[in-house]
């Protein structure tokens, strides 16, 4: 009997933010897939889930390069075949991802590849997105009343970002990194910089919070970061 493939969101950093359903799936898993980048060792998602791993769990690191037509590359196909072999051997396999599995996650593409296969059991378990954790931690309401909120990747072109900012009461800017100065300028042009807060590594030991973006707009960010901002004054 084939095993089950679990896609699990581990949240932004605090292990206590994992759901009970996620913890139960991790505890009964035979194999854990830990996605990692080509440039860095280890896996942040794995470190978050570590308190719930059983001693004899098999950990498999996989690199998923994001290049043109990445889903058809040898690396992606090899990863898929490795996962399929584990499932066909009757093992329960967990794929960890930061935040939520269906929100700007590598898991989305892994899911699509596996869903094309026959007789594969897949269960996706949601996690807490970083911006929700940031809002709760800082007492920063994301939306209320009839507010319109936009979630914008900071990697989008300026025209797209400006259009989204123009029609939004509140905004979540994701993937802020080397483009940080340009993002600050875009927020300033749209009268949304004074109420902005930037957070990196939410819930992790090296968490960083920047409240005055204008004063630190030339700061070099070490990690992908998230900005929350709104037009209205006060909380």
């Amino acid at each position: 009997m084939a095993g089950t493939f679990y896609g699990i969101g581990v949240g932004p950093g605090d292990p206590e933010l994992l759901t009970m359903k996620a913890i139960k799936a991790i505890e009964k898993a035979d194999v854990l897939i830990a996605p990692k980048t080509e440039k860095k060792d280890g896996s942040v998602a794995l470190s978050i889930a570590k308190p719930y791993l059983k001693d004899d769990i098999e950990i498999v690191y996989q690199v998923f390069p994001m290049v043109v037509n990445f889903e058809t590359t040898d690396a992606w196909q090899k990863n898929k075949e490795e996962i399929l072999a584990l499932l066909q051997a009757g093992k329960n396999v967990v794929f960890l991802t930061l935040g939520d599995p269906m929100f700007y996650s590598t898991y989305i593409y892994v899911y699509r590849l596996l869903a094309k296969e026959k007789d594969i059991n897949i269960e996706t378990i949601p996690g807490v997105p970083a911006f929700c954790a940031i809002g709760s931690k800082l007492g920063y309401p994301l939306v209320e009343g009839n507010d319109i909120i936009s979630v914008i990747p900071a990697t989008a072109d300026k025209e797209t970002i400006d259009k989204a900012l123009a029609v939004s009461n509140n905004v979540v800017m994701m993937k802020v990194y080397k483009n940080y100065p340009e993002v600050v300028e875009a927020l300033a042009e749209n009268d949304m910089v004074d109420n902005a807060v930037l957070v990196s590594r939410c819930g992790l030991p090296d968490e960083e919070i920047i409240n005055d973006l204008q004063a630190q707009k030339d700061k070099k960010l070490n990690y992908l970061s998230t900005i929350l901002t709104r037009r209205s004054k006060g909380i």
Side-chain angles (χ1 to χ4, degrees), residues 166-208:
V167 298
S168 304
N169 302 104
N170 304 330
V171 167
V172 176
M173 296 285 290
M174 307 286 293
K175 307 179 184 179
V176 181
Y177 186 36
K178 293 182 179 179
N179 51 4
Y180 175 50
E182 290 78 15
V183 169
V184 174
E185 289 300 319
L187 293 177
E189 290 170 6
N190 287 272
D191 194 28
M192 298 187 82
V193 74
D194 291 339
N195 296 313
V197 59
L198 177 146
V199 179
S200 298
R201 310 276 282 181
C202 178
L204 293 169
D206 53 351
E207 175 185 274
E208 183 176 13

Side-chain angles (χ1 to χ4, degrees), residues 9 16 31 43 51 56 58 61 77 88 90 94 113-114 123 136 145 158 180 192 201 205:
E16 293 185 356
V31 181
S43 162
D56 61 345
E58 179 183 354
Y61 291 94
Q77 290 300 314
Q88 290 162 359
V94 160
L113 285 174
L114 294 176
E123 183 173 349
S136 295
K158 188 178 186 303
Y180 175 50
M192 298 187 82
R201 310 276 282 181

